[in-house]
Amino acid sequence: MSSLQKIEPATINDASANNISAAQPDGHFDFDHAFDLDLTALKAAGLYRRFARLEKLPGAFPKALLHRSGKSALVTIWCSNDYLGMGQNPVVETALHDAAAQFGAGAGGTRNIAGTHDIHTELEAEIASLHRKEAALLFTSGYVANDAVLSTLASRLPNAVVLSDEMNHTSMIAGIRHSRAEKHIFRHNNVEHLEHQLSKLDQSRPKIIACESIYSMDGTIAPLANIARVARQYNALSYVDEVHSVGLYGPDGAGIAAAQGAGQNIDLIQGTLAKAFGVMGGYVAGSHLAVDYIRSFAPGFIFTTALSPVLVNAALASIRHVRQTESLRQDHQRQVLRTKEALRQRTIPFRDEPSHIIPVMIGDPFVTRNVAEELLETYNIYIQPIFAPTVEPGTERLRITPTPLHTDAMIEHLADALADVLSRHQRPLEPQDALA
């Protein structure tokens, strides 16, 4: 979920308001003092983030070396978005090395000015085929794709109105805000509320429904077939962010829309090359006309350097491998279910949604950070603590993402470690059903 649509931590806002104190008697503004005020407030609220400096080891994922305080330790990563471990798959590594030798490092320009290589159009064709769409367009990231596409559509279509799920990602919210179009928020995954809002709008206005297929912090799955039905009924354009589902669900790994039999009824599908496909980049897929419109008018596409052909070739190899290897998805789902069962057996409180994302709910930023730190120090388990503004205050959590490369022994080790650390931090171990 994103907080930008719903919350802004009061402590951070108060500090920003207090930055008037950074004005000096001589009338000059003290920027360093202003920066220090906000950062101090962030730390006091328990919301300050620190990077985990990881060194990936060839062929060892989900193991990695963690570097800090001049020391290194081998840890198991339990929070990666490299959902299938494709970032270190030999097929992908070979494609990356071959492309570097063949094409060099960079694209050499924007897509319109010397930056389009044959490999870019080949990858776009593969993505269109994956989603059974007429065309696709590459972006430098999923965030850029959401921001660029939604801001372009909602600003250029005359008198457009956007209907946005209340838990949409920050990138989608940013795109809608940048468009300055009228916006209505519908309750999370609530098709009845969405339809009620659509029914009150002038039917001649262009309407855009924006939602995700899997919500990355709670793991909830959208009823895309029903959303697509309502979109068609009210002549609205449907835009679905599939970044946490492509590669993992549906025929060939095409995502939740395809898994629900709704792929052909969704107008625009946005996805990423950086999660299940293990590389980098974003994209949007849809009709020839819609994709050409975005290509021709979206500043976030026009005015940025094209993706490196090295990454493009690696992503192409990854998609083709994932599409052809159903066992990857089967192994992934098996380890997800085993992880949930191991947590359930130890009465560890987690949200049991039907996706692969497993949020262990804690509810306090300081305790969440301390639990994560102890898992790391005592058990060499790395799970990044999640707190505001990524999630609402009071819903702080550890977000677990099993992969096919997490062994049964790793799962048991994780569950035992969580049970031990949570009990020593006096967090109640409740039946997970109460949190679903």
Side-chain angles (χ1 to χ4, degrees), residues 34 40 52 132 153 175 223 227 254 267 289 309 311 313 342 349 353 384 415:
T40 299
R132 309 295 194 269
L153 293 177
I227 289 173
D267 296 302
L289 268 176
L311 297 175
N313 201 52
E353 300 291 346
Q384 186 68 26

Side-chain angles (χ1 to χ4, degrees), residues 10 103 120 163 203 219 229 240 265 383 395:
F103 304 119
H120 289 90
L163 299 102
Q203 296 307 295
R229 173 186 57 78
V240 177
N265 296 324
I383 310 175
T395 69

Side-chain angles (χ1 to χ4, degrees), residues 56-64 77 80-88 401 403-406 410:
K56 305 297 179 63
L57 303 174
F61 183 83
K63 297 284 188 179
I77 303 172
S80 175
N81 283 342
D82 189 357
Y83 292 137
L84 298 176
M86 290 301 296
Q88 292 196 3
T401 53
T403 74
L405 301 178
H406 284 95
M410 290 177 184

Side-chain angles (χ1 to χ4, degrees), residues 18-38:
N18 288 336
N19 272 338
I20 190 170
S21 65
Q24 300 300 297
D26 61 2
H28 290 89
F29 189 85
D30 187 337
F31 288 95
D32 284 344
H33 184 53
F35 299 153
D36 186 58
L37 279 174
D38 271 7

Side-chain angles (χ1 to χ4, degrees), residues 17-200:
N18 288 336
N19 272 338
I20 190 170
S21 65
Q24 300 300 297
D26 61 2
H28 290 89
F29 189 85
D30 187 337
F31 288 95
D32 284 344
H33 184 53
F35 299 153
D36 186 58
L37 279 174
D38 271 7
L39 288 171
T40 299
L42 197 68
K43 292 173 182 177
L47 306 179
Y48 184 74
R49 289 169 167 81
R50 292 176 174 83
F51 290 140
R53 293 170 46 231
L54 296 166
E55 179 184 342
K56 305 297 179 63
L57 303 174
F61 183 83
K63 297 284 188 179
L65 279 177
L66 178 75
H67 300 295
R68 62 178 184 169
S69 303
K71 299 179 181 179
S72 299
L74 188 65
V75 302
T76 303
I77 303 172
W78 276 100
C79 55
S80 175
N81 283 342
D82 189 357
Y83 292 137
L84 298 176
M86 290 301 296
Q88 292 196 3
N89 187 286
V91 171
V92 177
E93 290 181 346
T94 299
L96 186 139
H97 294 150
D98 290 349
Q102 182 176 356
F103 304 119
T110 68
R111 289 292 298 276
N112 286 313
I113 305 176
T116 295
H117 299 233
D118 280 346
I119 194 69
H120 289 90
T121 57
E122 191 175 352
L123 176 55
E124 287 168 341
E126 186 71 26
I127 291 168
S129 170
L130 170 67
H131 291 292
R132 309 295 194 269
K133 296 298 184 187
E134 294 177 351
L137 190 67
L138 290 172
F139 289 83
T140 50
S141 73
Y143 188 107
V144 172
N146 273 335
D147 190 350
V149 174
L150 286 171
S151 63
T152 298
L153 293 177
S155 64
R156 292 194 63 88
L157 295 173
N159 198 26
V161 57
V162 182
L163 299 102
S164 176
D165 188 288
E166 67 176 334
M167 294 185 65
N168 276 343
H169 189 265
T170 299
S171 57
M172 302 177 79
I173 298 165
I176 296 166
R177 284 183 172 174
H178 291 159
S179 75
R180 300 186 178 181
E182 181 181 329
K183 176 183 69 174
H184 297 275
I185 308 301
F186 62 92
R187 290 189 287 274
H188 180 51
N189 282 345
N190 191 319
V191 179
E192 184 177 327
H193 190 220
L194 169 63
E195 187 168 6
H196 174 71
Q197 292 184 331
L198 283 166
S199 69
K200 297 188 296 183

Side-chain angles (χ1 to χ4, degrees), residues 307-363:
L307 275 174
S308 163
V310 173
L311 297 175
V312 171
N313 201 52
L316 179 61
S318 183
I319 292 176
R320 287 175 173 169
H321 181 76
V322 169
R323 291 186 71 179
Q324 297 167 2
T325 314
E326 181 62 29
S327 60
L328 270 175
R329 283 178 285 284
Q330 295 171 348
D331 292 346
H332 178 247
Q333 287 300 312
R334 183 187 66 246
Q335 297 309 88
V336 168
L337 292 175
R338 284 181 174 171
T339 303
K340 289 182 177 180
E341 181 57 29
L343 299 182
R344 191 178 293 114
Q345 288 175 356
R346 293 159 179 83
T347 62
I348 292 171
F350 71 96
R351 285 193 61 127
D352 191 5
E353 300 291 346
S355 75
H356 61 284
I357 293 167
I358 308 174
V360 174
M361 310 303 290
I362 296 177

Side-chain angles (χ1 to χ4, degrees), residues 1-9 49 143 146 164-175 177 183 185 188 212 214-218 241 244 386-393 395 397:
M1 68 170 287
S2 166
S3 66
L4 293 186
Q5 192 159 283
K6 302 184 67 177
I7 63 164
E8 293 179 359
R49 289 169 167 81
Y143 188 107
N146 273 335
S164 176
D165 188 288
E166 67 176 334
M167 294 185 65
N168 276 343
H169 189 265
T170 299
S171 57
M172 302 177 79
I173 298 165
R177 284 183 172 174
K183 176 183 69 174
I185 308 301
H188 180 51
E212 301 179 49
I214 295 181
Y215 290 81
S216 63
M217 288 299 134
D218 287 342
D241 176 323
H244 291 278
I386 305 293
F387 37 72
T390 306
V391 296
E392 292 187 64
T395 69
R397 67 199 67 185

